[in-house]
Amino acid sequence: MDDQMDDEVEFNVQTFVPAELDYVRDSLTRGQASANGAYSRQVRQLLQAETGAAEVLLTTSCTAALELSAMLLDLQPGDTVIVPSFSFTTTALAFVRQGARLLFCDIEPRTLGLDPRHVAELLADPVHGPTVRAVVVVHYAGIACDVAGIREALAERPDVALVEDNAHGLFGRWRGEPLGSLGRFSTLSFHETKNISCGEGGALVLNDPADVPRSWVHYDKGTDRQAFLQGQVDKYSWRDTGSSFGLADPLAAILLAQVEERDVIQGRRRAVFERYLSGLSPHADALGLALPDVPEDREPAYHLFHVLLPEAERRGEVIAAMKARGVPTAFHYVPLHDSDGGRRFAAAPGECPTSTDVSARLLRLPFHQELEASDCDRVIAALVDVLSGM
Ligand SMILES: Cc1ncc(COP(=O)(O)O)c(C=O)c1O
């Protein structure tokens, strides 16, 4: 099953806390394992308290939550959505599935979040600007994007919804405000690679109370079953479009155990982040390495640790040399504007040079809550050794 070298550092280890097993057993034996059982309700309450949201719906993935937010936008033919080119496919695909065309936006080099100047340019375009219905931001690695800049770019367009794809950012903050509380919609991921994880899972965070009743209809197979359960109607029926978005309760049980331990999980991840940063900083200039740069007004969510190598051409060599030293590394994202799907679904061709450059030079280091200080030091030493020898 495991073909990893015995002494290889693990790139990712899914979060696990012992209470999960008891909670899952209880959830499986209490008679409601489908969506929105007892465990789901507790997780929703905790996430709602964390973000101050009007409502939180647990979904089968962040992708599903993005699709639900796209349904709530009621997109019409000819509508467009501004998305970052430097992101995961479903940040864009979720809106395409609801009929929108895409306007790809570049990122700014400091946080690798959406570039507000490019957002403003896209909105000012005489042909496509008026068709924009939403702007999707990602808080890359759990470090908030330039929220003030994005708000300024949107100041004259109250009709354009801000959607936070907050797959990386749960528990991060921007100027003291929780990530996930800043957009009309915000989405979370509980995939095995995320800080809080039930294998596959997600959530839609609704920050505008006006969206809540419709969101339950789309969430629950297009029916008003939720209104029925709350005694607001005497039978439930088909009302609108929708799908089956709900997360099974045993998976929510896993989430509850982990959310209850969030301070420990986040503390361990923070320690890894800080160890990498302090260990690599003294070498960064000499090696031409760019390290994560957290603006003072932001508290990261400590989702991942990335560096930017000086030369894109040698990344393959660096990955191989790190692997030979027992340290797996990875890269992402292939710029969406330059992919077959991106070209097919774009409203107009566009250039995103920072996304292209970052995507070619970015390297992710092993990152999870089980890493000890000695593992971090081994990763740091391997990277310094590999880059010094080039
Ligand atoms: C920015 C971003 N958005 C969305 C997703 C999709 O998350 P999920 O796998 O929960 O659908 C990911 C996955 O890693 C992601 O990185």
Side-chain angles (χ1 to χ4, degrees):
M1 250 173 79
D2 196 315
D3 58 0
Q4 200 164 31
M5 270 168 62
D6 275 352
D7 68 341
E8 191 171 276
V9 177
E10 290 193 84
F11 185 76
N12 177 58
V13 173
Q14 184 174 333
T15 302
F16 172 78
V17 300
E20 284 173 33
L21 298 177
D22 293 335
Y23 287 9
V24 169
R25 189 177 299 108
D26 180 56
S27 159
L28 286 170
T29 50
R30 64 168 46 232
Q32 193 201 339
S34 58
N36 281 315
Y39 284 96
S40 302
R41 281 196 290 277
Q42 289 185 72
V43 175
R44 285 172 45 216
Q45 275 165 13
L46 284 174
L47 294 175
Q48 207 174 346
E50 190 71 37
T51 53
E55 184 61 283
V56 176
L57 306 182
L58 296 186
T59 58
T60 50
S61 63
C62 181
T63 298
L66 285 163
E67 288 172 352
L68 193 47
S69 74
M71 279 184 188
L72 285 159
L73 288 172
D74 229 346
L75 296 164
Q76 303 299 318
D79 287 347
T80 61
V81 174
I82 294 178
V83 295
S85 172
F86 183 68
S87 189
F88 192 72
T89 49
T90 54
T91 307
L93 177 58
F95 300 91
V96 168
R97 290 197 68 204
Q98 284 305 117
R101 306 292 285 187
L102 304 170
L103 291 171
F104 287 107
C105 186
D106 210 354
I107 52 171
E108 47 92 10
R110 185 167 187 192
T111 62
L112 312 190
L114 216 55
D115 181 350
R117 281 176 310 179
H118 196 190
V119 175
E121 262 174 46
L122 292 168
L123 288 171
D125 182 276
V127 176
H128 298 293
T131 68
V132 176
R133 300 290 313 283
V135 172
V136 188
V137 296
V138 172
H139 305 299
Y140 181 73
I143 300 168
C145 70
D146 180 359
V147 177
I150 302 289
R151 283 184 175 166
E152 203 183 311
L154 290 176
E156 305 293 312
R157 291 292 302 272
D159 58 316
V160 174
L162 181 63
V163 180
E164 284 178 278
D165 175 347
N166 197 27
H168 299 187
L170 179 61
F171 308 128
R173 286 180 179 267
W174 172 80
R175 298 188 181 168
E177 293 183 58
L179 304 188
S181 68
L182 308 166
R184 175 172 154 197
F185 309 119
S186 160
T187 62
L188 296 173
S189 175
F190 303 122
H191 183 261
E192 72 174 10
T193 50
K194 302 303 187 295
N195 301 22
I196 302 288
S197 166
C198 58
E200 300 274 1
L204 177 65
V205 176
L206 295 153
N207 290 314
D208 182 347
D211 287 318
V212 174
R214 274 181 62 224
S215 71
W216 275 113
V217 173
H218 294 323
Y219 179 85
D220 218 347
K221 295 102 172 168
T223 72
D224 55 359
R225 184 165 168 271
Q226 186 64 19
F228 169 71
L229 292 174
Q230 289 175 357
Q232 293 159 3
V233 291
D234 58 5
K235 60 178 174 6
Y236 74 86
S237 60
W238 186 8
R239 311 288 295 190
D240 201 343
T241 186
S243 191
S244 181
F245 285 108
L247 186 77
D249 214 47
L251 294 176
I254 296 176
L255 294 180
L256 180 65
Q258 294 184 15
V259 174
E260 286 176 343
E261 286 290 302
R262 58 193 176 282
D263 291 346
V264 176
I265 295 166
Q266 290 300 103
R268 293 190 67 108
R269 297 182 78 102
R270 179 183 178 149
V272 174
F273 187 93
E274 289 178 349
R275 188 108 189 160
Y276 278 152
L277 202 56
S278 62
L280 287 169
S281 292
H283 306 281
D285 284 350
L287 299 175
L289 207 56
L291 301 176
D293 179 8
V294 184
E296 266 184 12
D297 58 357
R298 297 166 220 192
E299 169 71 12
Y302 307 109
H303 171 51
L304 56 83
F305 193 94
H306 68 281
V307 299
L308 293 183
L309 300 175
E311 292 170 279
E313 297 71 30
R314 304 193 81 169
R315 183 170 63 185
E317 247 178 273
V318 174
I319 291 174
M322 293 290 282
K323 182 85 179 156
R325 286 162 177 74
V327 180
T329 52
F331 60 86
H332 67 182
Y333 300 103
V334 178
L336 298 177
H337 78 282
D338 214 10
S339 64
D340 287 347
R343 275 188 287 271
R344 177 166 162 205
F345 298 119
E351 293 297 311
C352 298
T354 307
S355 301
T356 303
D357 172 53
V358 163
S359 160
R361 291 193 294 122
L362 187 136
L363 189 74
R364 292 171 56 190
L365 304 185
F367 198 87
H368 52 84
Q369 56 290 332
E370 305 295 325
L371 284 175
E372 300 295 343
S374 57
D375 299 315
C376 298
D377 294 345
R378 181 173 161 198
V379 174
I380 294 164
L383 189 60
V384 171
D385 183 40
V386 166
L387 293 177
S388 315
M390 287 191 148

